[in-house]
Amino acid sequence: MQTRELTLKEVDIAYDFLKDYISLSYEEFEDKIYDLRHNSYKMLGMFHKDVLIAYCGVNVMSTLQTPKSLWVYE
């Protein structure tokens, strides 16, 4: 198994994995991913034999109270 960040070229892989759990068309999903990337959103995936088996959307950010924190969205 391999866990890694998905690239923007792999948005379709993320969408295929999530499409049954979200109410967005592919175009809406792609637009949101591109918008969220400007806010340090990262798509992480766990792959088994090149098949995505787990997805996690995260953001690494700093706040006044914490120098660095990880927010998990999906």
Side-chain angles (χ1 to χ4, degrees), residues 27 67 74:
E27 291 77 19
E74 288 86 33

Side-chain angles (χ1 to χ4, degrees), residues 22-74:
I22 59 175
S23 58
L24 299 171
S25 69
Y26 176 79
E27 291 77 19
E28 293 168 324
F29 179 77
E30 185 179 43
D31 287 345
K32 282 193 175 275
I33 291 295
Y34 275 84
D35 287 344
L36 290 169
R37 296 283 292 191
H38 295 292
N39 295 324
S40 301
Y41 181 87
K42 299 193 182 307
M43 300 180 293
L44 302 179
M46 182 180 287
F47 291 83
H48 178 70
K49 296 183 181 179
D50 296 326
V51 175
L52 182 64
I53 60 170
Y55 176 88
C56 187
V58 300
N59 188 355
V60 178
M61 60 187 288
S62 298
T63 66
L64 294 174
Q65 296 179 344
T66 58
K68 207 172 223 185
S69 56
L70 177 70
W71 288 86
V72 178
Y73 297 104
E74 288 86 33

